[in-house]
């Protein structure tokens, strides 16, 4: 089915000036960008976004990394967009990611792993709402 998923191009990518390379892999996969903005997340915003991970040992570092520079938040649309984008991103740890995936080709580490993508339909809806108003999404 036609779906929307939420994506973040993380600070390691804005720092290295490679957001275009990331976008080019996304678009080559057939996914379409229907909303996009560059933002500096606040600490509160990052903590809220990653609240499901708040008991994890890496939570503090993850939040600090996500506010270490600007990010590009996006809504991507396409057939089975959620699963499709997870394929295009590759495994969370770039060391385990398949060739051609964003993380294999571009990521620096499990933390600085270049992109985030929603893991399921419910979280996609929540994550999109966390950063975008309806009128900002133009399909
Ligand atoms: P993301 O898809 O944004 O969701 C949670 C993030 O936590 C994940 O990508 C990784 O960047 C990060 N993460 C997961 N596991 C670890 C880990 N062991 N150490 C540091 N960061 C991690």
């Amino acid at each position: 089915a036609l779906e929307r998923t939420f994506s973040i191009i993380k600070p390691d990518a804005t720092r290295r000036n490679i957001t275009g390379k990331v976008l080019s892999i996304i678009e080559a996969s057939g996914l379409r960008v229907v909303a996009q903005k560059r933002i500096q997340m606040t600490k509160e915003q990052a903590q809220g976004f990653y609240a499901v991970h708040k008991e994890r040992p890496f939570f503090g570092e993850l939040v600090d990394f996500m506010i270490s520079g600007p990010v590009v938040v996006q809504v991507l649309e396409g057939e089975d967009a959620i699963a499709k984008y997870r394929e295009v991103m590759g495994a969370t740890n770039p060391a385990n990611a398949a060739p051609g995936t964003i993380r294999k080709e571009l990521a620096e580490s499990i933390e600085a792993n270049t992109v985030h993508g929603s893991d399921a339909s419910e979280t996609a809806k929540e994550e999109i709402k966390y950063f975008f108003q309806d009128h900002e999404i133009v399909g």
Side-chain angles (χ1 to χ4, degrees), residues 39-50 130-131:
I39 61 167
Q40 171 66 54
M41 267 200 235
T42 65
K43 186 158 204 168
E44 293 64 36
Q45 215 173 5
Q47 287 170 332
F49 181 75
Y50 281 120
Y130 197 78
F131 288 102

Side-chain angles (χ1 to χ4, degrees), residues 56-68 110-112:
R56 306 268 201 119
F58 57 80
F59 181 70
E61 277 181 27
L62 174 61
V63 167
D64 286 345
F65 169 64
M66 292 301 289
I67 65 172
S68 68
I110 191 167
E111 177 177 85

Side-chain angles (χ1 to χ4, degrees), residues 54-134:
K54 68 175 183 297
E55 305 306 330
R56 306 268 201 119
F58 57 80
F59 181 70
E61 277 181 27
L62 174 61
V63 167
D64 286 345
F65 169 64
M66 292 301 289
I67 65 172
S68 68
V71 298
V72 177
V73 290
Q74 304 172 311
V75 180
L76 307 179
E77 187 177 86
E79 275 299 307
D80 298 316
I82 297 164
K84 175 81 165 275
Y85 190 43
R86 293 185 72 78
E87 251 179 64
V88 170
M89 289 191 296
T92 302
N93 186 344
N96 303 327
T101 62
I102 294 169
R103 286 167 173 160
K104 180 65 179 189
E105 303 307 325
L106 301 173
E108 296 183 311
S109 67
I110 191 167
E111 177 177 85
N113 66 354
T114 312
V115 280
H116 165 85
S118 308
D119 62 2
S121 167
E122 249 341 277
T123 43
K125 287 196 183 72
E126 286 169 17
E127 292 177 355
I128 289 169
K129 252 180 88 177
Y130 197 78
F131 288 102
F132 289 98
Q133 296 184 265
D134 285 347

Side-chain angles (χ1 to χ4, degrees), residues 3-79:
E3 283 179 343
R4 286 176 174 174
T5 192
F6 175 73
S7 161
I8 305 177
I9 304 179
K10 296 187 180 186
D12 64 283
T14 58
R15 176 167 33 79
R16 289 179 288 156
N17 202 26
I18 57 166
T19 63
K21 284 190 182 171
V22 175
L23 189 52
S24 138
I25 298 175
I26 291 172
E27 290 187 335
S29 79
L31 290 165
R32 307 182 76 89
V33 177
V34 294
Q36 174 166 268
K37 57 190 172 189
R38 181 175 169 103
I39 61 167
Q40 171 66 54
M41 267 200 235
T42 65
K43 186 158 204 168
E44 293 64 36
Q45 215 173 5
Q47 287 170 332
F49 181 75
Y50 281 120
V52 294
H53 296 304
K54 68 175 183 297
E55 305 306 330
R56 306 268 201 119
F58 57 80
F59 181 70
E61 277 181 27
L62 174 61
V63 167
D64 286 345
F65 169 64
M66 292 301 289
I67 65 172
S68 68
V71 298
V72 177
V73 290
Q74 304 172 311
V75 180
L76 307 179
E77 187 177 86
E79 275 299 307

